[in-house]
Amino acid sequence: MTEKHIILEDIDPLMFYGVGNSHLQMVKSLFPKVRIVARDNVLRILGDEEEMARLEENVESIRRHIVKHNTINEEDILDIIKGRKTKADSAKGVVCYSVSGRPIKSRSQNQQLLIDAFEQNDMIFAVGPAGTGKTYLSIALAVKALKEKTAKKIILSRPAVEAGEKLGFLPGDMKDKIDPYLQPLYDALEDMLPQVKLQDMMEKRVIQIAPLAFMRGRTLSDAVVILDEAQNTTPQQIRMFLTRMGWNTKMIITGDMTQVDLPKQQTSGLKEALRILTGIEGIGVVELGQKDIVRHKLVTRIVNAYDAFDKINNKPNESINND
């Protein structure tokens, strides 16, 4: 009798087996000519050679579905084994899926422009107010590239600029002081990748999160690189960052010109970069606005109220079109 071992890589085997081994029992019932013994992340299969080859092919399809969608149910398994598209695979316009299986896709016209710009350019500037999905959608595009193996790593960075508190007064060592500035990036990743998988990727440096200052001297190749909160970079910092770009790399630079935390006399590097680089081939610029806000409805009202206040007080409304 022929025997093979199948290793379930890159997934939680419990998700493959199902609650109470329900998924595994279903697979066994659909392959009666094969004996399947599961232990940890290894399937030991014995039986008819032709049937084993078909089972191995279907197990790999189920594994890929879990990697892509972060979830699977018995209906999906049946569709895969019967050679049909699952409901998730039939959905259009999905960038990737959250850990709960929720599809992540554009929710406005400008968000779709950001997705299109990523496909068409190697460098993208995404500028807009809080809540427009700039950072979240950018990380989703990076996760998609990693899962599809068009990129080998994700590099996420932010300038560590104080907004009312000084780094030196925060408790802990340097990592403890810096982590609060990077928390929004961790939050987005935790929503898209299972915790164990995310931790493993970070330990292996497949996913790297670091302050902007740590980028100096590096050449970033085979990666999706995201610079968040770029409005808080100086012209020298953003120039340094943009010139880190290596082969087979895409860069996304996000920022909100209404939330600059630099000293008043300091020019925002993002504002200067947009003035210099807009119109260059290979660089896409997407401006998001109030209509793209996807947070609580109060966020839109708050942004509108502050815009009205700025106009009354003759404060400039910073955008990519202002000098």
Side-chain angles (χ1 to χ4, degrees):
M1 183 177 288
T2 307
E3 178 177 329
K4 280 188 179 180
H5 289 186
I6 303 173
I7 300 174
L8 303 173
E9 296 179 338
D10 300 329
I11 63 169
D12 181 353
L14 295 178
M15 190 176 291
F16 181 94
Y17 299 145
V19 178
N21 285 333
S22 58
H23 296 169
L24 183 61
Q25 294 303 324
M26 183 179 187
V27 172
K28 286 181 176 181
S29 69
L30 292 167
F31 289 88
K33 295 181 181 179
V34 177
R35 184 184 173 203
I36 305 171
V37 179
R39 181 163 183 166
D40 297 328
N41 68 331
V42 179
L43 292 178
R44 179 169 164 255
I45 57 175
L46 308 92
D48 179 80
E49 194 166 342
E50 187 176 330
E51 190 80 344
M52 285 170 59
R54 193 168 73 87
L55 171 61
E56 190 172 11
E57 184 178 325
N58 280 280
V59 166
E60 174 58 19
S61 296
I62 294 169
R63 188 197 67 82
R64 286 200 303 266
H65 187 283
I66 294 172
V67 169
K68 181 178 180 180
H69 302 289
N70 290 319
T71 187
I72 198 162
N73 56 42
E74 291 182 8
E75 184 180 351
D76 294 329
I77 293 172
L78 186 60
D79 284 338
I80 290 169
I81 293 174
K82 296 296 182 182
R84 302 188 295 252
K85 273 191 173 184
T86 64
K87 285 183 179 179
D89 283 329
S90 299
K92 295 181 179 179
V94 178
V95 176
C96 66
Y97 291 80
S98 72
V99 290
S100 63
R102 173 178 55 84
I104 299 169
K105 54 185 178 180
S106 65
R107 296 174 63 180
S108 71
Q109 184 177 355
N110 286 329
Q111 285 192 358
Q112 186 58 50
L113 287 177
L114 173 55
I115 295 170
D116 295 341
F118 182 81
E119 298 297 328
Q120 298 162 10
N121 301 278
D122 288 334
M123 184 177 292
I124 306 97
F125 288 86
V127 184
T132 51
K134 306 180 301 295
T135 302
Y136 190 81
L137 193 56
S138 296
I139 292 177
L141 288 165
V143 169
K144 179 186 179 186
L146 194 63
K147 287 188 173 187
E148 293 180 350
K149 302 189 185 301
T150 57
K152 293 181 180 178
K153 54 183 177 284
I154 298 172
I155 301 171
L156 308 174
S157 186
R158 266 187 163 202
V161 175
E162 296 96 343
E165 289 184 274
K166 297 294 183 182
L167 275 171
F169 289 102
L170 294 175
D173 58 19
M174 181 55 71
K175 183 180 184 301
D176 294 328
K177 294 174 188 289
I178 288 171
D179 271 356
Y181 292 90
L182 307 176
Q183 193 58 49
L185 306 180
Y186 289 114
D187 290 344
L189 285 168
E190 287 170 355
D191 195 36
M192 299 175 205
L193 293 167
Q195 184 62 45
V196 174
K197 183 63 179 173
L198 174 58
Q199 189 64 36
D200 181 61
M201 285 180 165
M202 293 185 71
E203 287 174 0
K204 293 177 179 176
R205 296 186 60 77
V206 174
I207 295 177
Q208 303 172 27
I209 305 178
L212 179 58
F214 288 26
M215 296 296 109
R216 187 173 297 280
R218 299 184 65 183
T219 300
L220 309 175
S221 301
D222 297 312
V224 178
V225 186
I226 299 172
L227 174 60
D228 193 34
E229 299 288 351
Q231 77 277 2
N232 287 328
T233 60
T234 65
Q236 294 79 14
Q237 285 175 329
I238 200 166
R239 184 173 181 175
M240 176 274 293
F241 175 82
L242 297 178
T243 54
R244 301 304 93 203
M245 192 174 193
W247 295 105
N248 190 37
T249 288
K250 284 181 179 279
M251 280 188 167
I252 308 177
I253 299 92
T254 72
D256 176 3
M257 293 307 302
T258 67
Q259 295 188 18
V260 179
D261 297 316
L262 294 168
K264 287 185 178 180
Q265 68 275 14
Q266 178 68 67
T267 300
S268 168
L270 176 60
K271 185 177 181 182
E272 183 175 282
L274 287 165
R275 188 185 301 126
I276 295 169
L277 301 177
T278 298
I280 292 180
E281 184 179 355
I283 297 178
V285 179
V286 179
E287 185 170 15
L288 300 102
Q290 284 88 340
K291 64 182 179 181
D292 303 300
I293 292 175
V294 292
R295 291 182 184 168
H296 193 286
K297 59 185 178 182
L298 273 178
V299 175
T300 304
R301 297 173 191 168
I302 291 167
V303 171
N304 288 336
Y306 271 95
D307 283 348
F309 175 82
D310 289 342
K311 288 177 183 177
I312 292 171
N313 289 274
N314 295 317
K315 289 186 178 181
N317 182 15
E318 300 278 12
S319 76
I320 65 174
N321 299 312
N322 288 344
D323 292 330

